[in-house]
Amino acid sequence: MWFTPPPRMVAREDALPGRTQSMPVPERHFVLGTPLLPPFPECEIAWFGMGCFWGAEKLFWSHAGVRSTSVGYAGGYTLNPTYKEVCSGRTGHAEVVQVVYDPTLVGFEELLRVFWEGHDPTQGMRQGNDVGTQYRSTVYCEESKLALVADTRDTYQRTLARMGYGAITTELQAAGPYYYAEPYHQQYLAKNPGGYCGHGGTGVSCPVGVGKTPG
């Protein structure tokens, strides 16, 4: 019986170099009609990786208080990577959703609930049948928000463990460069309603407020 080793992150020195030219970006969100490029006045931004970014983006653009979403690549080394390069495993990037939200209408903690419940964060370098480092579970945000992310992770871990799941493998980091994916990827499932999604989650609820530890 053949054994296929799990995907491994590429080392910085072995990553593809990329290019200085950035990806063209559509002017407006296909569903919301809002800008895809900054500035985003009076809004905050977070980036979530939870497997194939097509279905992940749809989870967030449908949520009240979210002003704009886009899909792209983050957490790696290659400058302005292409989709083909990211899928090669030689850029270090994860497929992510950029979520631009109005904090007066939706809190970051609520977005974390959508994130945790929207995928299985225990699968390592994969999500379902999608296997590769680009499909790993990630949260990139302001450094000041990382403690809240970690709190929700730890409490959700206890909930998942009671249901028989293993350790959460989600990567938590302060946000670095974000590179927009090719235009055809943006709001893909709105343009292609019958397109592949691949998201299901664990079915285990993560109530808002799970990260708040009593004083």
Side-chain angles (χ1 to χ4, degrees), residues 33-57:
T34 52
L36 259 65
L37 286 166
F40 301 114
E42 301 179 357
C43 288
E44 296 181 3
I45 309 176
W47 295 263
F48 301 98
M50 44 199 300
C52 176
F53 50 22
W54 293 344
E57 185 184 19

Side-chain angles (χ1 to χ4, degrees), residues 121-135:
T122 70
Q123 293 195 359
M125 300 297 183
R126 63 179 298 167
Q127 196 61 212
N129 293 326
D130 295 324
V131 180
T133 57
Q134 73 271 30
Y135 298 119

Side-chain angles (χ1 to χ4, degrees), residues 71-111:
V71 295
Y73 316 115
Y77 310 116
T78 301
L79 185 66
N80 293 303
T82 66
Y83 181 66
K84 183 177 180 180
E85 289 171 340
V86 171
C87 289
S88 76
R90 298 178 61 200
T91 73
H93 290 287
E95 292 189 15
V96 300
V97 181
Q98 175 176 269
V99 180
V100 180
Y101 63 100
D102 183 339
T104 68
L105 298 177
V106 60
F108 182 54
E109 199 166 16
E110 167 62 13
L111 298 180

